[in-house]
Amino acid sequence: MSSDPLETLEFECPVPIAGTDEILLGHGSGGKLTARLIEQTIEPALTNSILAELDDQALLPLRGESIAFTTDSFVVTPIFFPGGDIGELAVNGTVNDLAMGGATPKYLSLALILEEGFAIADLQRVLASIRRAADRAGVIVVTGDTKVVGRGSADKIFINTAGIGLPRPGTALSARRVRPGDAILLSGSIGDHGMAILTMREGLELEGRLASDTAPLNGLVDSMLDAYLDIHAMRDPTRGGLAATLVEISTRQRLGIEVDESAVPVTDAVRGACELLGLDPLFVANEGKLVAFVPEAGAEMVLAAMRKHCLGRDAVRIGTVTSTHPGLVVMRTPIGGSRALDLPFAEALPRIC
Amino acid sequence: MSSDPLETLEFECPVPIAGTDEILLGHGSGGKLTARLIEQTIEPALTNSILAELDDQALLPLRGESIAFTTDSFVVTPIFFPGGDIGELAVNGTVNDLAMGGATPKYLSLALILEEGFAIADLQRVLASIRRAADRAGVIVVTGDTKVVGRGSADKIFINTAGIGLPRPGTALSARRVRPGDAILLSGSIGDHGMAILTMREGLELEGRLASDTAPLNGLVDSMLDAYLDIHAMRDPTRGGLAATLVEISTRQRLGIEVDESAVPVTDAVRGACELLGLDPLFVANEGKLVAFVPEAGAEMVLAAMRKHCLGRDAVRIGTVTSTHPGLVVMRTPIGGSRALDLPFAEALPRIC
């Protein structure tokens, strides 16, 4: 390496074409680059019939029974934030992936990658938070692993949790079951987790308290299925926000989706922070919300059940699945217009979970 | 921050006591610091009856059946090395943890943490290796997750695999079942993986080829259990090497262990590299070897079965479990002496797996 500009002229560096030959931050953002990496690089390498379902959890046949299995790594920065920390997120994230498939979460594994110099007091705080979150969600951590890497080879702590759950008899929640006419229900306000992280990271002091919505959704899901067993699909809109969830379902299932934008709840604090940072709350991550696709016949029953649960008090119907414009999510705006929702190529919101 | 020595005198920095308030590299080495971190910090925070078993895998009751569950993160550097790569290691490591509990490995999850700038060609090479290793071991990757962190927040690629297996009927492999009189069998030479990594990392050119022994051990385990079902326990001596495995069993089960040091196979290449770097092969990591604790009545049958399998051709009996000197591993040296084996406080062999 040389800082002499003349010397560098003599050497023709190969120019990498951004997005084609190197991992970019955008590959982890939940946008188009993420989808492309998974569809073009990861899936083809590993392809099998279970992985191809691409739900948030896999359903595995085991001696005539069926179990649900999922994994998630957590690399959020900062690791402590208003409303939660990386430990709570690591439990709730995996619990929620199981719950979205209609499975009752039972067991978690816990794998820690620690950076040399990480304070053991902080580790204890994270572990205590993991324990509390696991108790709250009704799961237990049954196996674990700990690795340490040198300073600068990781950032404080990365956590992986894998989870095992038992499918609830009689349910078959899957994106494949979403049908034209399904009501789209949302359990509450969007953007809270992402904006709590971003404003803390940017050092913004904002009026109105911003806090992550991280929460275990399995109890809410139980209430919904108790009210109406034939819910077609559920998703927790994490990375990429509500937009990524709707676009994924619409694109993969070749269905149209219409959303009444004014029906989507956004708190004043989140709206204010989004305006300040030039973000659209539809694209901001949530960690304690769910979207449900419910046959019209059950929509009111499910909505009523959601509103009775503390994590679904603000539940609303935000839209409908249609057979028109397949592959397109159309937002009906408050002023009577409409726009098609598209994922950003690569959202610059790294390490939000 | 200032480089002026006078200015620093005015400020009393709190001096961290090494090993008590920060994570050290040694916390990940498989030595005493690792054991202390797990026993004093991680276990107490998460304590439950399944985790307390501290086997390499957990046995979970699920609707009257029982399944085995384990997790492991891989942070090895370099990611490509003679004899394997981080992808192959990530599959074999988790397959082996399941096999050591007598479970047939079935399903893996795969979670990637990628550093911005990581070459997609390298990712493809790792994924292809994961696929090959999974096919070889007879497991399938059924669910996954991908996160990206900024440059300098991780080192190229970290991989977590969690695994689910089915316990083989009639087996109950557990460290708790090891008894005085058990023969201790080792499946082959030790230190190959660790020395392949270390010599590559140090840029040493050595005579004799050093290559990682990474391999899936489930086939070998099947052959052993086919020969004699009542094997008491098995372990794959990874981090901390054969020494860590023997000391852990001896200490936790309050049993004596006697090992004939000259019986432990070490290749000339590994012995040479160890002498050059001042290391003892007993403490160097393996990724394709196992240690079995077998009642005397079955020892010869198991040994014969091991030798018929390609991964156990060099299997030997290295020692015996005793009721004398509980908690001590005694090595009988070739010159007729003996020494007690003790774990290093903190071995400086980070990121070996």
Side-chain angles (χ1 to χ4, degrees), chain A residues 23 48 73 117-118 141 146 239, chain B residues 23 48 117-118 141 145-146 239:
Chain A
I23 293 295
N48 62 64
S73 293
F118 183 56
V141 175
T146 305
R239 272 186 295 180
Chain B
I23 293 295
N48 62 64
F118 183 57
V141 175
D145 178 59
T146 305
R239 271 187 295 181

Side-chain angles (χ1 to χ4, degrees), chain A residues 29-112:
Chain A
S29 70
K32 282 182 186 165
L33 270 179
T34 306
R36 188 182 293 178
L37 181 71
I38 292 172
E39 286 162 17
Q40 297 184 357
T41 304
I42 299 180
E43 256 187 33
L46 304 173
T47 182
N48 62 64
S49 61
I50 299 176
L51 193 64
E53 288 288 317
L54 282 180
D55 273 319
D56 288 343
Q57 73 299 120
L59 273 183
L60 313 177
L62 275 177
R63 290 195 178 134
E65 285 283 351
S66 166
I67 66 169
F69 187 33
T70 190
T71 186
D72 222 336
S73 293
F74 296 84
V75 297
V76 65
T77 182
I79 61 171
F80 301 107
F81 47 81
D85 61 38
I86 190 171
E88 191 178 349
L89 215 56
V91 172
N92 291 341
T94 292
V95 161
N96 292 349
D97 280 348
L98 291 170
M100 293 307 106
T104 304
K106 303 291 280 183
Y107 302 109
L108 296 188
S109 64
L110 175 70
L112 308 173

Side-chain angles (χ1 to χ4, degrees), chain A residues 21 23 46-48 61 63 72-73 107 111 117-118 120 131 141 145-147 152-155 158 160 167 239, chain B residues 21 23 46-48 61 63 72-73 107 111 117-118 120 131 141 145-147 152-155 158 160 167 239 351:
Chain A
D21 66 354
I23 293 295
L46 304 173
T47 182
N48 62 64
R63 290 195 178 134
D72 222 336
S73 293
Y107 302 109
F118 183 56
I120 288 184
R131 177 57 184 259
V141 175
D145 177 58
T146 305
K147 293 290 190 302
S153 291
D155 188 6
F158 297 151
N160 177 279
R239 272 186 295 180
Chain B
D21 66 354
I23 293 295
L46 304 173
T47 183
N48 62 64
R63 289 194 180 136
D72 222 337
S73 293
Y107 301 108
F118 183 57
I120 288 184
R131 178 56 184 259
V141 175
D145 178 59
T146 305
K147 293 291 191 302
S153 291
D155 188 6
F158 298 151
N160 177 279
R239 271 187 295 181
R351 301 183 58 189

Side-chain angles (χ1 to χ4, degrees), chain B residues 37-172:
Chain B
L37 181 71
I38 292 171
E39 286 163 18
Q40 297 184 358
T41 304
I42 298 179
E43 255 186 33
L46 304 173
T47 183
N48 62 64
S49 61
I50 299 176
L51 193 65
E53 288 289 317
L54 282 181
D55 274 318
D56 288 343
Q57 74 298 120
L59 273 182
L60 312 177
L62 273 178
R63 289 194 180 136
E65 286 284 351
S66 167
I67 66 169
F69 187 32
T70 189
T71 185
D72 222 337
S73 293
F74 297 83
V75 297
V76 64
T77 182
I79 60 170
F80 302 108
F81 46 81
D85 61 38
I86 189 171
E88 191 177 350
L89 215 56
V91 172
N92 291 340
T94 292
V95 161
N96 291 349
D97 280 348
L98 291 170
M100 293 307 106
T104 304
K106 302 291 280 183
Y107 301 108
L108 296 188
S109 64
L110 175 69
L112 308 172
I113 296 175
L114 306 175
E115 184 189 11
E116 182 188 12
F118 183 57
I120 288 184
D122 284 346
L123 174 61
Q124 286 170 324
R125 196 174 150 194
V126 169
L127 289 168
S129 173
I130 286 171
R131 178 56 184 259
R132 267 195 313 274
D135 288 349
R136 183 177 174 201
V139 295
I140 58 174
V141 175
V142 291
T143 189
D145 178 59
T146 305
K147 293 291 191 302
V148 179
V149 299
R151 272 173 217 274
S153 291
D155 188 6
K156 295 187 178 70
I157 179 172
F158 298 151
I159 301 180
N160 177 279
T161 50
I164 292 177
L166 285 176
R168 183 176 162 134
T171 60

Side-chain angles (χ1 to χ4, degrees), chain A residues 227-247:
Chain A
Y228 186 77
L229 203 56
D230 194 33
I231 296 172
H232 283 164
M234 294 197 211
R235 281 284 193 279
D236 56 335
T238 54
R239 272 186 295 180
L242 180 60
T245 296
L246 297 178
V247 169

Side-chain angles (χ1 to χ4, degrees), chain A residues 193-245:
Chain A
H193 174 74
M195 295 320 295
I197 300 287
L198 282 178
T199 53
M200 189 176 178
R201 217 188 275 170
E202 305 291 325
L204 296 181
E205 300 266 341
L206 293 169
E207 281 189 79
R209 281 178 51 234
L210 280 169
S212 169
D213 58 346
T214 180
L217 294 168
N218 49 333
L220 175 61
V221 170
D222 282 341
S223 305
M224 294 164 68
L225 289 169
D226 285 346
Y228 186 77
L229 203 56
D230 194 33
I231 296 172
H232 283 164
M234 294 197 211
R235 281 284 193 279
D236 56 335
T238 54
R239 272 186 295 180
L242 180 60
T245 296

